[in-house]
Amino acid sequence: SQKIEQNSEALNIQEGKTATLTCNYTNYSPAYLQWYRQDPGRGPVFLLLIRENEKEKRKERLKVTFDTTLKQSLFHITASQPADSATYLCALAHGATNKLIFGTGTLLAVQP
Amino acid sequence: DGGITQSPKYLFRKEGQNVTLSCEQNLNHDAMYWYRQDPGQGLRLIYYSQIVNDFQKGDIAEGYSVSREKKESFPLTVTSAQKNPTAFYLCASSISPEKLFFGSGTQLSVL
């Protein structure tokens, strides 16, 4: 069956370190993959999109990689700050319809 | 100040009652979406609309209804047929599926 998985356990890291979040999928062939940030009680906010033919995309302190062989995307936040604490969602666009499938999200907590 | 507005922030439903969640956008986006978010689950698509006066069912449309009479508005009605309505409801709009803009959500609870 089709599945998209993010680490359900919270990720706790120290301020200044690099946070790495994982998004794995099975039985999909996504045209692209997106990452969103969601704060408690708020709607998700779009961060980055990476296409199937791209290996890496960067935006300021954010970096996303996309490995279609491993069926995995990694989301990195360098020089992390307490303000980066939030839940991060990955979403992949499935097939010809570009229907978005969302993962459950990973809670990131950056300790000062 | 462009954006997407959901109201109310909190809503309570009594047994057998229909309730309507409002979603308004001034981004001039053609497409609008309704998602449901439950703890420990990914966002699930309820309904979406790509143009005025047209909408399609998503993955979990049973017990819900929508209308799209204006480009700016996409209200969601949670009917009494939805037996487990407690959830966080998110409305979104987009020019393309490559970037969704979400509202701040409505938390619906059952009394």
Side-chain angles (χ1 to χ4, degrees):
Chain A
S1 64
Q2 298 172 324
K3 195 185 292 185
I4 178 170
E5 290 185 333
Q6 294 185 255
N7 193 340
S8 59
E9 292 185 10
L11 178 63
N12 291 285
I13 65 166
Q14 228 29 55
E15 182 176 6
K17 301 293 186 183
T18 296
T20 298
L21 285 69
T22 304
C23 179
N24 294 301
Y25 60 92
T26 57
N27 298 324
Y28 286 113
S29 296
Y32 55 82
L33 191 146
Q34 303 173 351
W35 284 89
Y36 289 80
R37 168 184 172 140
Q38 186 175 23
D39 291 285
R42 310 283 300 191
V45 174
F46 174 85
L47 296 174
L48 282 168
L49 178 150
I50 187 165
R51 300 185 187 283
E52 60 179 337
N53 60 350
E54 297 175 314
K55 295 294 184 186
E56 182 179 298
K57 184 73 73 75
R58 291 176 184 260
K59 178 183 176 182
E60 297 172 352
R61 293 184 297 112
L62 308 180
K63 185 178 83 171
V64 174
T65 63
F66 195 9
D67 189 327
T68 55
T69 301
L70 291 178
K71 296 188 182 297
Q72 180 181 79
S73 175
L74 298 178
F75 177 80
H76 306 272
I77 306 176
T78 59
S80 60
Q81 305 165 0
D84 295 326
S85 298
T87 296
Y88 291 86
L89 310 175
C90 70
L92 54 84
H94 178 46
T97 64
N98 278 339
K99 177 182 172 182
L100 280 181
I101 312 295
F102 282 85
T104 56
T106 297
L107 176 63
L108 172 66
V110 181
Q111 309 298 333
Chain B
D1 188 20
I4 181 164
T5 302
Q6 290 187 240
S7 62
K9 181 65 177 174
Y10 301 96
L11 187 59
F12 297 90
R13 195 191 87 167
K14 295 179 182 178
E15 190 79 28
Q17 186 182 40
N18 293 352
V19 292
T20 298
L21 285 62
S22 171
C23 179
E24 302 278 333
Q25 55 101 358
N26 60 5
L27 299 169
N28 201 32
H29 290 168
D30 285 318
M32 297 187 75
Y33 311 80
W34 274 106
Y35 287 90
R36 170 178 172 145
Q37 187 173 35
D38 294 277
Q41 294 195 43
L43 275 68
R44 293 183 290 169
L45 183 63
I46 305 172
Y47 268 98
Y48 64 102
S49 168
Q50 294 178 309
I51 197 168
V52 175
N53 291 323
D54 188 43
F55 49 82
Q56 286 78 41
K57 293 181 179 180
D59 299 317
I60 55 165
E62 186 174 350
Y64 300 97
S65 66
V66 294
S67 63
R68 187 83 188 277
E69 298 176 1
K70 298 187 300 181
K71 187 175 185 177
E72 301 81 15
S73 179
F74 192 40
L76 173 74
T77 296
V78 183
T79 75
S80 57
Q82 173 50 245
K83 298 306 179 187
N84 184 25
T86 297
F88 191 51
Y89 290 86
L90 287 160
C91 179
S93 70
S94 72
I95 294 176
S96 84
E98 296 189 0
K99 184 176 181 179
L100 266 58
F101 292 80
F102 284 88
S104 56
T106 293
Q107 176 64 50
L108 176 63
S109 303
V110 177
L111 286 177

